[in-house]
């Protein structure tokens, strides 16, 4: 599953793995933000939390043992020193580090991050080669294709020299938007020229069912396929038996993880909205949009009692731990 801001948090990553995804990326985490965090072992949830104490104990990244060998943390950076320090902070808790070199959003580009790194090859290479040397886990990057096939091949070959373990390529140029047709033929040409595994991304509009993933892989000749929107809409796309699940079943499974891992109502609502899509217009959708707290969201999907029970358990565990600490 591709990196997706707000969508790629722990509950969706765990559900993607349960459904059959081989690897899951975190949402992009900006180096500055990670560097403000303290690593905390959360004994209530059995998670590792990276918490920003200066921002009301905001959980910037939450992970757990279950995903440790499958989760790639994506960093947004423009600075080699910050990138290394941020990666070192999480190195023992994740399977790999990815550097975002494809984001075209103004926030990223202005800060020299994302696709700005594609225009600054020496900086991009410096960040990657330093990370490769400094870390004991694999380093990858995610880029977009360039204007021509030749330029793209040249660019990937340059990045390959840094020692990265794989490269994810979004088959669109920096100026193309998600509704534009991707260019799997460019990926195919790149795959024939480089040795590292190429992970092809950008085919969500063409990937409607599980078997389409293999067709797309064949089409672009890549080692793997990375999926963003098709997973955001219905994460059961990863099911290897090809049996996609109805969205309401997916929501219930997602919600269970969100409750179990004490996600915020805001994040939970955002993810469910992206699954419900036009169903938000229904009576149930309107009740969902009115919901403000987890219990209210859970009620809409018949999980109010589960939510209350879990939240009570979490509160009791917290109280028990505090009592032990005071003894
Ligand atoms: C994204 N994308 C993205 N890419 C990235 O490198 N880091 C990120 O944090 C995000 N965040 C993000 C959020 C959401 C909600 C979406 C839909 C997309 C881009 C994404 O990973 C992917 O490159 C594109 O969506 C194209 O792939 P699909 O959607 O065709 O599979």
């Amino acid at each position: 599953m591709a990196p997706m801001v707000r969508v790629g948090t722990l509950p969706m990553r765990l559900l993607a793995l349960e459904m059959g995804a081989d690897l899951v990326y975190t949402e992009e985490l900006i180096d500055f933000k990670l560097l403000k965090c303290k690593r905390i072992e959360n004994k209530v949830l059995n998670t590792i939390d990276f918490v920003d104490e200066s921002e009301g104990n905001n959980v910037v990244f939450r992970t757990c043992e279950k995903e440790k060998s499958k989760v790639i943390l994506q960093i947004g950076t423009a600075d080699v020193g910050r990138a290394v320090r941020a990666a070192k902070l999480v190195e023992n808790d994740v399977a790999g580090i990815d550097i975002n070199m494809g984001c075209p959003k103004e926030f990223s580009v202005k800060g020299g991050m994302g696709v700005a790194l594609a225009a600054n090859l020496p900086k991009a290479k410096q960040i990657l080669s330093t990370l490769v040397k400094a870390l004991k886990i694999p380093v990858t990057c995610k880029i977009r294709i360039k204007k021509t096939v030749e330029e793209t091949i040249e660019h990937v070959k340059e990045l390959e020299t840094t020692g990265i373990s794989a490269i994810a390529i979004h088959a669109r140029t920096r100026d193309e938007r998600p509704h534009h047709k991707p260019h799997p033929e460019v990926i195919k040409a790149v795959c024939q020229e480089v040795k590292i595994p190429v992970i092809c991304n950008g085919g969500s509009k063409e990937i409607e069912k599980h078997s389409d993933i293999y067709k797309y892989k064949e089409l672009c000749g890549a080692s793997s396929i990375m999926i963003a929107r098709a997973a955001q809409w219905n994460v059961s796309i990863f099911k290897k038996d090809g049996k996609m699940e109805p969205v309401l079943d997916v929501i219930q499974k997602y919600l269970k993880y969100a409750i179990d891992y004490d996600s915020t109502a805001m994040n939970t609502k955002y993810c469910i909205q992206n699954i419900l899509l036009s169903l938000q217009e229904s009576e149930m959708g309107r009740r969902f949009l009115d919901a403000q707290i987890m219990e209210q969201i859970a009620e809409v999907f018949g999980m109010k009692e589960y939510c209350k029970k879990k939240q009570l358990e979490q509160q009791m565990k917290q109280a028990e731990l505090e009592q032990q600490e005071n003894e």
Side-chain angles (χ1 to χ4, degrees):
M1 183 168 74
M4 284 183 277
V5 164
R6 299 216 272 169
V7 175
T9 47
L10 184 60
M12 192 61 88
R13 297 197 305 267
L14 289 178
L15 186 55
L17 289 172
E18 181 189 310
M19 292 290 187
D22 299 310
L23 291 172
V24 287
Y25 283 66
T26 68
E27 59 180 333
E28 177 189 45
L29 297 166
I30 306 297
D31 54 9
F32 278 116
K33 224 172 161 182
L34 267 174
L35 289 171
K36 278 164 68 188
C37 291
K38 198 168 151 189
R39 181 187 184 278
I40 290 171
E41 281 180 38
N42 183 328
K43 295 202 174 85
V44 175
L45 304 174
N46 281 325
T47 56
I48 302 293
D49 295 349
F50 290 84
V51 175
D52 183 351
E53 290 178 328
S54 69
E55 294 240 9
N57 282 339
N58 178 30
V59 179
V60 170
F61 172 52
R62 171 165 286 160
T63 186
C64 65
E65 191 58 37
K66 231 175 171 179
E67 68 166 359
K68 191 174 170 180
S69 63
K70 312 266 182 177
V71 63
I72 316 287
L73 184 133
Q74 189 187 60
I75 301 179
T77 188
D79 179 82
V80 63
R82 280 201 306 271
V84 171
R85 279 186 285 130
K88 280 273 171 204
L89 189 67
V90 296
E91 181 179 20
N92 294 323
D93 298 303
V94 297
I97 294 290
D98 182 77
I99 301 296
N100 187 350
M101 298 190 172
C103 183
K105 297 233 166 86
E106 198 188 339
F107 166 80
S108 290
V109 181
K110 264 193 175 164
M113 299 182 288
V115 86
L117 284 172
N120 189 348
L121 189 58
K123 171 73 78 66
K125 285 174 70 176
Q126 185 198 23
I127 292 173
L128 294 176
S129 56
T130 312
L131 281 172
V132 168
K133 282 190 204 100
L135 302 180
K136 50 180 189 277
I137 53 174
V139 177
T140 62
C141 67
K142 178 167 176 270
I143 63 164
R144 282 176 174 250
I145 59 168
K146 296 272 199 175
K147 286 217 169 72
T148 67
V149 180
E150 294 72 26
E151 261 186 280
T152 311
I153 293 173
E154 195 48 40
H155 191 66
V156 178
K157 277 187 168 172
E158 285 287 341
L159 296 174
E160 188 180 31
T161 63
T162 63
I164 49 172
S165 301
I167 187 161
I169 314 180
H170 181 178
R172 291 187 180 85
T173 65
R174 64 177 290 169
D175 300 322
E176 287 175 325
R177 299 282 77 94
H179 63 271
H180 289 121
K181 261 197 142 340
H183 307 279
E185 70 287 354
V186 178
I187 309 295
K188 185 157 201 168
V190 173
C191 291
Q192 284 160 359
E193 296 288 334
V194 299
K195 292 187 189 70
I196 50 168
V198 173
I199 306 163
C200 177
N201 168 243
S204 268
K205 285 281 176 75
E206 275 106 292
I207 296 171
E208 287 176 359
K209 51 186 186 305
H210 190 76
S211 55
D212 295 338
I213 302 175
Y214 299 97
K215 276 194 205 148
Y216 210 72
K217 187 168 175 274
E218 192 78 10
L219 181 75
C220 60
S223 310
S224 329
I225 297 295
M226 171 192 268
I227 301 176
R229 288 166 299 165
Q232 177 191 31
W233 297 323
N234 189 335
V235 69
S236 68
I237 190 86
F238 290 118
K239 279 182 71 181
K240 294 197 162 77
D241 64 7
K243 290 184 185 144
M244 295 269 296
E245 297 186 10
V247 290
L248 290 179
D249 292 358
V250 173
I251 290 174
Q252 282 188 333
K253 287 185 178 173
Y254 167 76
L255 200 46
K256 183 174 180 303
Y257 278 121
I259 293 166
D260 290 353
Y261 288 99
D262 194 25
S263 285
T264 64
M266 209 162 93
N267 186 246
T268 305
K269 218 170 152 178
Y270 180 79
C271 292
I272 294 179
Q273 260 178 301
N274 282 300
I275 306 173
L276 275 179
L277 299 174
S278 61
L279 279 177
Q280 286 175 81
E281 314 292 323
S282 65
E283 210 287 298
M284 178 261 292
R286 276 189 290 276
R287 273 191 294 131
F288 163 72
L289 290 175
D290 284 342
Q292 298 292 325
I293 56 171
M294 285 300 267
E295 194 182 309
Q296 291 165 343
I297 299 172
E299 188 174 13
V300 177
F301 301 101
M303 293 176 69
K304 183 177 171 182
E305 289 314 311
Y306 181 79
C307 181
K308 276 169 71 174
K309 182 175 142 261
K310 268 285 161 186
Q311 287 183 338
L312 188 64
E313 272 174 29
Q314 288 164 4
Q315 282 160 15
M316 282 166 61
K317 186 101 189 264
Q318 179 70 42
E320 194 185 301
L321 288 167
E322 278 167 19
Q323 199 181 1
Q324 278 170 11
E325 259 174 42
N326 292 333
E327 276 168 12

